[in-house]
Amino acid sequence: MIDEGTGGLLQAIEDILNDVTEVVSRGDQLGLQLYVSRHGEVLLDEAFGQVRPGTPINRNDALPWICCTKLMGALAIGKLLYNHGLSPHHRVAEVIPEFATGGKAWATLAQLMSHALPFEPEGANRPYSGLSHEEALAQACAVEMSAPPGTGGWYSALGSWVVVGEVVQRLSGRIYSEYVAEHVLKPLGMNHTVFGPVTPPRSPALFEREDGRQVASERVFPGVLNPNLPGTGGWGPAADLAKLVECLADPQAGEALGLTDATVQALTDTYRTGLPDRNFGDLDLDWGLGMCTDPAWFGAPGGTKVAGHTAYGCGMVVAGLQESLVVSFLSSSVVPPGSGESRLENRIVRALYREIRTVAGAGR
């Protein structure tokens, strides 16, 4: 529901609700969850449409987060680095010696987590689903570089976060999924989120439009829904996903996780910029420590300090750090990427920023 105390944002939210309702009624999206907060105050937490054909969606339904799951690992690393006197510029191989092969000996955590390691394509694209953690780690460590670390971009959906998961395990002495559950999910109150093997089975795969019908997506390959992969295995509602960045935008939420100002800065500083990504069609995005810091990617105004992630055409979460604005969007259907500024989730972010800046300008 909309909180009546949101002031000037009420009109923007009303316009957003009309836009969302029209998109779902046209069938452009099967169903979606939308969550908005500012300064820690929930402005909107609603669900629209269907979770699967014929079944209404609920705002607490667990939807796949795909690559937005990486934010769990980013927060885990952020908490552990300073406990061990380390920084994002620490070499990965000092924690995982076997990573120092194929030109990666001097690769830093910041480069690993900002996707600034130009891997050899044939190695980076190896399948990871179906492997044990030990097998996946050995495969990720064996991948060779095509150029020195930090000189090229290569977004690694799976392999890089297998390594991130191992860094967490070696620094904490805990299995990655256990550490994340105890030190990230629990203190943030993410009660509807699951990560790792779960019984009973989760919701079905994502859906796509085909010949006017919604059919289970065949282009979302099973690996990205694998519960054992730390970069893609999270499921939960949009409200829970939002908490992974609310703790960066709202100091009170950050206290629950024990984040210091230095940790928040380390996570949200930009470590990669001006490096076209060969795995993303030479797209050039700014990246922080496991999160995208490029406002244009989310529909935010240029120069805005943001941190967040997107998910294979079916999700997005972003925090406007200066405005303490958080938007979390999850869909039960895949809308192919490439629509850019016209994407529904980007329109939502733009509308909110437009209203915030209008109100700020009127107050001067």
Side-chain angles (χ1 to χ4, degrees):
M1 67 180 289
I2 300 173
D3 191 309
E4 292 297 327
T6 60
L9 285 177
L10 278 175
Q11 183 58 55
I13 290 176
E14 184 176 335
D15 293 341
I16 286 168
L17 290 175
N18 290 336
D19 192 6
V20 169
T21 302
E22 182 179 349
V23 166
V24 172
S25 65
R26 286 200 309 259
D28 295 344
Q29 295 271 2
L30 176 62
L32 60 90
Q33 298 167 336
L34 178 60
Y35 175 97
V36 179
S37 70
R38 192 170 187 218
H39 299 301
E41 178 186 4
V42 179
L43 310 185
L44 184 65
D45 183 10
E46 294 193 15
F48 310 80
Q50 304 169 81
V51 68
R52 64 182 68 84
T55 303
I57 193 170
N58 184 282
R59 64 188 179 91
N60 290 327
D61 281 333
L63 298 177
W65 291 356
I66 315 296
C67 285
C68 286
T69 306
K70 291 175 171 59
L71 294 171
M72 293 184 190
L75 292 177
I77 288 286
K79 287 170 61 70
L80 287 167
L81 285 184
Y82 289 93
N83 291 344
H84 290 78
L86 306 177
S87 82
H89 302 291
H90 199 78
R91 290 192 298 121
V92 179
E94 292 185 56
V95 181
I96 307 175
E98 58 267 42
F99 190 72
T101 62
K104 305 189 300 296
W106 294 95
T108 66
L109 286 166
Q111 290 166 342
L112 175 73
M113 297 177 68
S114 65
H115 307 285
L117 299 182
F119 295 122
E120 289 286 357
E122 61 272 17
N125 287 330
R126 293 174 181 174
Y128 285 87
S129 59
L131 302 180
S132 68
H133 173 70
E134 292 73 22
E135 292 169 334
L137 177 65
Q139 183 164 287
C141 289
V143 176
E144 297 186 352
M145 306 280 288
S146 62
T151 63
W154 183 277
Y155 181 82
S156 173
L158 304 176
S160 286
W161 250 248
V162 169
V163 178
V164 170
E166 182 67 12
V167 170
V168 170
Q169 291 187 191
R170 296 197 187 186
L171 291 180
S172 69
R174 300 281 301 277
I175 294 173
Y176 178 79
S177 58
E178 292 179 354
Y179 182 87
V180 165
E182 183 68 25
H183 294 278
V184 178
L185 306 187
K186 183 177 179 180
L188 289 179
M190 297 169 63
N191 300 320
H192 299 284
T193 293
V194 291
F195 178 74
V198 172
T199 303
R202 300 170 174 144
S203 302
L206 299 164
F207 294 86
E208 293 185 83
R209 290 184 70 186
E210 184 177 288
D211 299 326
R213 299 176 299 116
Q214 295 284 354
V215 297
S217 174
E218 295 179 356
R219 289 195 283 275
V220 181
F221 57 96
V224 302
L225 301 175
N226 189 310
N228 297 314
L229 290 172
T232 61
W235 291 62
D240 272 16
L241 177 59
K243 294 177 181 180
L244 294 177
V245 295
E246 268 180 337
C247 63
L248 305 174
D250 177 49
Q252 187 172 353
E255 288 177 7
L257 200 59
L259 297 182
T260 66
D261 290 344
T263 302
V264 172
Q265 181 173 337
L267 287 164
T268 59
D269 276 351
T270 294
Y271 300 102
R272 169 187 149 189
T273 189
L275 291 182
D277 195 313
R278 291 177 300 147
N279 200 28
F280 258 132
D282 288 334
L283 182 66
D284 179 8
L285 295 176
D286 293 345
W287 281 92
L289 198 67
M291 51 193 73
C292 183
T293 58
D294 198 318
W297 188 240
F298 302 102
T304 306
K305 187 169 178 58
V306 302
H309 218 293
T310 55
Y312 193 76
C314 62
M316 178 198 76
V317 63
V318 62
L321 302 178
Q322 293 147 322
E323 297 80 9
S324 293
L325 174 69
V326 171
V327 179
S328 180
F329 174 100
L330 288 174
S331 175
S332 57
S333 57
V334 173
V335 177
S339 303
E341 294 185 356
S342 66
R343 293 190 65 86
L344 174 61
E345 54 268 47
N346 286 26
R347 295 202 304 270
I348 291 169
V349 171
R350 267 200 313 281
L352 292 167
Y353 265 103
R354 185 165 52 244
E355 187 62 32
I356 288 171
R357 293 194 167 190
T358 297
V359 171
R364 292 195 185 101

